[in-house]
Amino acid sequence: MRSSRYRDVFARVPVPALEREWPSRRLTAAPLWVPVDLRDGNQALAEPMDPSRKRSFFELMVSMGYKEIEVGYPSASQTDYDFVRLIAESDIAPADVTVVVFTPARRDLIERTVESIRGIRNSVVIHMYTATAPVWRDVVLGHDRAALRELILDAGRDVLRFAGDLPNVRFEFSPEVFNLTEPDYALDLCNAVTTLWDASADRPVILNLPATVEVATPNVYADQIEYMHRNLERRSSVILSVHPHNDRGTGVACAELAVLAGAQRVEGCIFGNGERTGNVDIATLALNLHVQGIDPMIDFSDIDHIRRVVEHSNRIELHPRHPYVGDLVHTAFSGTHQDAIKKGFAEHRDRSVQSGTPGDRLAWRVPYLPVDPADLGRSYEAVIRVNSQSGKGGIAFLLERDYGIDMPRRLQIDFSRRVQQHADETGLELDAAQLFAIFERTYLSPVPSAIELRSLEVSTTNGETAVGLRVGIDGVQHAGTFAEVGPVEATALLLLEAGLGVEIVSLHQTSLAAGSDGDALTLIEHRVDGEARWAAGRHRSVLEASVAAVLGAGAQVLDTRLRRPRPGSST
């Protein structure tokens, strides 16, 4: 693959030596977020947004709490120009939202940009950019360092000429491809611009330092940002901003380390849409803070609604494994993961009950789930899903959640084998209803006509209890009355008299709570020729459910004796 061709790409712009402070710092607060979906993200769409989609997206960002939004590139298209005019001529932008417009460092385009913002009552930022890296200077612009410096300052003077008298307007400068620009040159350009624009505490200049094309590890970008942070003139009058792209797949890491290195502001797209491999993903950055206990200052509590609007506006579907928002990111198929998650939910419920504290106020300690899905407006329904990779914990979780069945551990093991066999044979995912169908077929009605309960009577005379039973076994009636025993023992004794000994190991009572009219469910573990088996009985009456479970066990004994294949087995 001739990798050596790329060896010296970054070596041309080494970072001056510095005593790094960023590695020992920790994130403690959210930076200022600036979504650029309506400009940078829009440029990256095969079909740019029409006015309706653009407005929907803007209104979404306002509702989420963004206070600074880059709304367009008004000199690039009539659609963008008209959208900026819509903001000027309507009230769609609340008074506390700063509007950012983007322009190249060219006089006619700067003038067109300033025309678009006239009449906007909100605070406005004019964002001027020019590429500054050596390859761009040589290949694209045809300027040496001195000539490009003068071009930038001329454009900066044009910004002042056309907008310097507008009291609600501030300025932003981006040396595009900052991360591939010689650090001393980038620093000189930024200092020259802040001097020209007279950056002050009451009218700070934004210096935005883009990793326009990622070519190095995130620590290198952090070093570059810290170098600028520590060497900029008028630092207290500068808002230091970053704009990472994602060519190496490390845009999020670049942004996080840049904030540690002194950046105060992050430009990106809500879910990372942007040219090539995308801009940095603000949702991931913000929710990474959330799961560290830091308020991200943006509301993602209805992430599915946000996703729907973004997908509609961009006409791009999000990947099912996209961090935090993808369909499958809170979902576990693996058996070990499911078991741990099930135990984590149970422990969380127990702590809530014991402490009397609502679950959403307790420390989150559920394995494999770094965030409570409920924080994002997600239900728990999609957290555990079953396929051939799943284990007993996930299967048990779904049946307990949807049907109220609390399966003992040994039954979980037995049932999971049957589910896995079914999943292996079909290759399909199984939902809770399909799991319950397998459960019914295997334990509740293994041989429907082999043994049936015809009557059950429990009576008490002079303090003594008697159980009377009539049972049909392969069409032959067997009856008996048994004193001083319960229905379970009486049923086992009647089956024994009929030649079907049932060796009961354990009995568990539970219920079918969902969609089943509150039926009682009895689960019986028994042995047939030394092999552990399970049978279940279901009825509105707990007594009849227990008798039905014993009869089900008897049917399995009869089934084995007659060498009948059992449903759910591989024979």
Side-chain angles (χ1 to χ4, degrees):
M1 293 179 62
R2 306 191 185 192
S3 300
S4 61
R5 300 171 65 206
Y6 306 98
R7 183 176 298 145
D8 296 330
V9 168
F10 198 76
R12 291 194 292 267
V13 284
V15 182
L18 72 161
E19 293 293 326
R20 299 175 181 85
E21 295 180 2
W22 66 260
S24 61
R25 293 179 181 148
R26 294 292 179 268
L27 297 173
T28 58
L32 174 63
W33 306 115
V34 183
V36 297
D37 298 80
L38 301 182
R39 191 275 301 173
D40 204 339
N42 194 43
Q43 289 175 222
L45 299 177
E47 187 180 336
M49 296 177 219
D50 58 33
S52 174
R53 286 154 57 206
K54 199 161 192 178
R55 178 168 182 166
S56 295
F57 207 146
F58 178 78
E59 290 173 343
L60 169 73
M61 291 189 284
V62 168
S63 71
M64 293 171 66
Y66 288 105
K67 299 303 181 187
E68 188 170 336
I69 302 171
E70 192 166 272
V71 299
Y73 193 156
S75 66
S77 74
Q78 190 63 42
T79 299
D80 272 25
Y81 185 91
D82 290 344
F83 187 73
V84 178
R85 294 310 303 155
L86 173 66
I87 293 173
E89 295 165 3
S90 71
D91 59 359
I92 67 169
D96 61 348
V97 171
T98 296
V99 173
V100 184
V101 288
F102 188 74
T103 181
R106 217 176 81 186
R107 174 175 294 185
D108 58 329
L109 303 183
I110 292 169
E111 185 174 12
R112 173 77 167 162
T113 300
V114 175
E115 288 174 6
S116 75
I117 66 169
R118 291 198 181 276
I120 293 181
R121 294 174 294 279
N122 302 65
S123 176
V124 177
V125 171
I126 296 176
H127 180 182
M128 183 187 80
Y129 83 97
T130 303
T132 56
V135 172
W136 277 254
R137 295 197 306 262
D138 297 342
V139 175
V140 181
L141 301 173
H143 288 306
D144 62 15
R145 286 173 51 151
L148 183 61
R149 186 181 192 275
E150 191 55 35
L151 181 153
I152 290 169
L153 291 178
D154 280 346
R157 295 182 190 102
D158 288 333
V159 170
L160 289 176
R161 181 178 299 111
F162 295 121
D165 62 337
L166 300 177
N168 63 325
V169 174
R170 293 184 291 115
F171 308 128
E172 174 178 356
F173 171 61
S174 285
E176 189 192 3
V177 210
F178 157 80
N179 62 318
L180 278 169
T181 301
E182 306 92 331
D184 67 310
Y185 185 53
L187 181 63
D188 175 63
L189 292 175
C190 288
N191 284 334
V193 168
T194 55
T195 298
L196 173 67
W197 285 344
D198 193 22
S200 61
D202 59 345
R203 198 177 187 182
V205 167
I206 300 165
L207 292 176
N208 186 53
L209 307 178
T212 310
V213 182
E214 277 197 309
V215 295
T217 51
N219 62 295
V220 175
Y221 188 52
D223 286 349
Q224 293 174 312
I225 299 303
E226 184 163 350
Y227 170 77
M228 297 293 286
H229 167 61
R230 290 165 62 174
N231 290 283
L232 280 170
E233 298 171 1
R234 305 193 184 209
R235 179 64 186 89
S236 61
S237 301
V238 166
I239 298 171
L240 192 58
S241 176
V242 291
H243 182 116
H245 278 248
N246 200 43
D247 300 84
R248 302 177 74 255
T250 56
V252 166
C254 280
E256 291 180 329
L257 297 191
V259 172
L260 292 176
Q264 301 150 286
R265 179 180 183 271
V266 176
E267 295 185 355
C269 291
I270 291 182
F271 293 129
N273 174 58
E275 294 283 11
R276 306 179 312 278
T277 57
N279 289 44
V280 71
D281 184 325
I282 294 182
T284 300
L285 286 168
L287 291 171
N288 283 353
L289 292 178
H290 173 68
V291 300
Q292 295 174 68
I294 300 168
D295 184 354
M297 307 301 289
I298 300 295
D299 185 1
F300 285 95
S301 62
D302 191 354
I303 204 162
D304 287 326
H305 169 69
I306 296 167
R307 171 185 171 172
R308 285 191 296 272
V309 174
V310 172
E311 287 182 330
H312 169 74
S313 296
N314 288 341
R315 295 186 176 170
I316 297 175
E317 290 187 5
L318 291 179
H319 194 281
R321 298 291 182 189
H322 191 107
Y324 298 107
V325 70
D327 282 339
L328 298 178
V329 295
H330 306 299
T331 301
F333 290 101
S334 161
T336 54
H337 288 207
Q338 291 174 343
D339 183 62
I341 290 169
K342 176 177 181 289
K343 290 173 180 174
F345 278 138
E347 192 266 352
H348 193 78
R349 283 194 304 271
D350 291 345
R351 281 192 293 127
S352 177
V353 171
Q354 292 167 8
S355 66
T357 303
D360 61 357
R361 296 187 182 182
L362 286 176
W364 184 248
R365 296 169 14 121
V366 176
Y368 297 111
L369 291 180
V371 64
D372 183 348
D375 286 356
L376 310 180
R378 290 272 177 90
S379 70
Y380 298 124
E381 293 178 2
V383 170
I384 291 180
R385 290 164 62 174
V386 171
N387 63 13
S388 61
Q389 304 300 306
S390 304
K392 63 183 186 302
I395 294 164
F397 175 86
L398 291 179
L399 285 184
E400 182 176 3
R401 186 196 69 196
D402 287 9
Y403 293 93
I405 301 174
D406 182 12
M407 289 196 290
R409 183 175 182 276
R410 290 192 298 277
L411 177 55
Q412 292 179 26
I413 295 169
D414 185 83
F415 185 50
S416 67
R417 289 200 301 265
R418 313 199 184 229
V419 172
Q420 187 167 32
Q421 179 182 330
H422 181 91
D424 282 335
E425 290 171 353
T426 63
L428 301 176
E429 181 184 344
L430 297 164
D431 60 22
Q434 291 167 311
L435 292 175
F436 185 64
I438 298 172
F439 183 89
E440 281 190 304
R441 188 166 64 247
T442 305
Y443 303 116
L444 281 166
S445 52
V447 187
S449 62
I451 300 180
E452 60 176 336
L453 177 64
R454 295 182 175 174
S455 70
L456 168 64
E457 295 181 2
V458 180
S459 60
T460 302
T461 304
N462 298 324
E464 293 185 357
T465 300
V467 178
L469 288 165
R470 285 191 302 120
V471 173
I473 302 176
D474 265 352
V476 178
Q477 180 168 293
H478 297 260
T481 299
F482 304 89
E484 294 304 308
V485 297
V488 170
E489 296 90 339
T491 307
L493 289 171
L494 181 62
L495 291 177
L496 183 61
E497 290 178 1
L500 298 175
V502 174
E503 183 185 354
I504 297 175
V505 177
S506 62
L507 180 147
H508 302 266
Q509 299 283 0
T510 181
S511 62
L512 287 167
S516 306
D517 295 326
D519 283 357
L521 184 69
T522 300
L523 306 168
I524 283 181
E525 183 182 16
H526 67 106
R527 289 195 181 95
V528 179
D529 296 333
E531 178 190 357
R533 300 275 189 85
W534 286 86
R538 167 186 178 179
H539 198 274
R540 296 299 299 273
S541 161
V542 174
L543 292 180
E544 292 206 27
S546 299
V547 170
V550 180
L551 294 180
Q556 292 177 4
V557 174
L558 177 62
D559 191 32
T560 301
R561 180 175 299 173
L562 298 177
R563 300 180 180 273
R564 295 173 178 164
R566 291 183 294 117
S569 72
S570 59
T571 56

